Amino acid sequence: MTGVRAERGGALADGWVMTGRYLRHVVRAPEEIVIYFSLPIMFVLVFGYVFGSGMSVPGGGGYREFLIPGVFVMTMLYGIGATATAIAVDTGRGVLDRFRSMPMARSALITGRVLADLSRALLETAVLLACGLLVGWRWHHGAGPLLASIGLLLLLRLALSCAGVALGLVAPNPDTVSMIVFPLAFPLSAVSNVFVAPEMMPGWLGTVSEWNPISATTAAIRELNGNPGLGGETWAADHSLLLAVAWPVALIAVFGPLSVRLYRRLGR
């Protein structure tokens, strides 16, 4: 039992070391943060101010307050690109092979990458909260629901980080990552309730939008904070909180073990 505890403690320590490594890379390359922040802020400015006057929200309410929760979620989604690219770069340079030859826990690479992603997600969320407040977004139900919303965002980011690690391990090179991520991420964010309520879409497209994992977390955040855009008579619309937890848990259950398996098979 003592040996098992020591092994777990060593794995956690190795994970923290890898987390520090990834975070130092972020500090040394701040342009990455600028790039990933610029996209959601651009969406806020373009959709909120340029197109916002022509957008209607079911049940009434301001469009920018409707939009901001979706921007939070969309930022978590596009973070998958940074995760996959970092893993692909390490794989291409042989860094992972060197780590495998060192006396460190095999899980440290994945644990460190995920913890670094969650740290970045907290920073991104803090900045976007400030941006949201500046353009008129508010949370109306107190600090508890706001913290629950942040928890849902981090849970989604955790699931997407696991998917990003798996993608980075199978991508032949870092350039391929962007060619895969954008065609996957763009439809997920476009065919969702981030910009337009599902009720305003054609029937079949609205159904797809309601069952989109991005829509589930976005709808849950709107519900928790009393933002406009709630509505619908479908099961998915009435159980957005449940889906906002179920979707990320399902993704973690699939991509977590898959990432570990892919990492163990490197070099075979």
Side-chain angles (χ1 to χ4, degrees):
M1 182 66 69
T2 302
V4 173
R5 290 178 179 175
E7 183 177 350
R8 290 177 179 174
L12 290 174
D14 292 341
W16 278 115
V17 171
M18 294 301 299
T19 301
R21 172 183 178 269
Y22 285 120
L23 290 177
R24 285 191 294 272
H25 284 189
V26 173
V27 174
R28 293 169 184 169
E31 65 275 6
E32 288 187 16
I33 297 180
V34 174
I35 292 173
Y36 282 104
F37 275 135
S38 63
L39 183 63
I41 292 175
M42 179 186 69
F43 275 123
V44 171
L45 296 177
V46 172
F47 281 88
Y49 286 94
V50 178
F51 301 139
S53 58
M55 298 285 192
S56 60
V57 180
Y63 181 72
R64 287 195 294 274
E65 194 170 5
F66 167 85
L67 176 66
I68 293 301
V71 174
F72 292 159
V73 178
M74 188 178 65
T75 303
M76 301 299 108
L77 171 63
Y78 279 91
I80 192 175
T83 303
T85 300
I87 295 296
V89 168
D90 283 348
T91 303
R93 293 177 178 175
V95 175
L96 298 189
D97 291 333
R98 290 196 292 271
F99 285 152
R100 286 166 59 87
S101 65
M102 296 172 63
M104 62 182 294
R106 292 292 181 90
S107 62
L109 171 77
I110 298 175
T111 302
R113 181 68 247 181
V114 168
L115 290 176
D117 284 347
L118 292 179
S119 299
R120 282 187 54 170
L122 279 173
L123 174 61
E124 293 166 353
T125 301
V127 173
L128 288 174
L129 280 173
C131 179
L133 291 173
L134 289 175
V135 301
W137 179 78
R138 297 291 184 271
W139 62 87
H140 301 284
H141 295 162
L146 175 63
L147 293 176
S149 301
I150 296 174
L152 290 177
L153 287 173
L154 295 180
L155 179 62
L156 179 64
R157 184 60 169 264
L158 174 61
L160 294 172
S161 294
C162 292
V165 170
L167 176 59
L169 289 172
V170 299
N173 56 68
D175 294 333
T176 308
V177 171
S178 60
M179 298 173 61
I180 298 174
V181 169
F182 185 76
L184 291 176
F186 180 75
L188 276 174
S189 56
V191 186
S192 72
N193 62 1
V194 170
F195 303 111
V196 180
E199 305 92 280
M200 303 180 66
M201 299 179 182
W204 66 272
L205 193 61
T207 301
V208 173
S209 173
E210 284 187 326
W211 286 93
N212 186 333
I214 304 305
S215 294
T217 302
T218 302
I221 292 175
R222 288 173 181 149
E223 180 179 346
L224 285 169
N225 295 285
N227 300 135
L230 301 178
E233 300 178 355
T234 64
W235 190 93
D238 292 336
H239 298 83
S240 58
L241 285 171
L242 175 61
L243 289 176
V245 175
W247 269 118
V249 169
L251 293 173
I252 293 169
V254 172
F255 288 105
L258 178 60
S259 298
V260 174
R261 183 177 302 177
L262 291 171
Y263 178 56
R264 288 175 176 174
R265 295 176 61 180
L266 284 177
R268 290 186 180 180

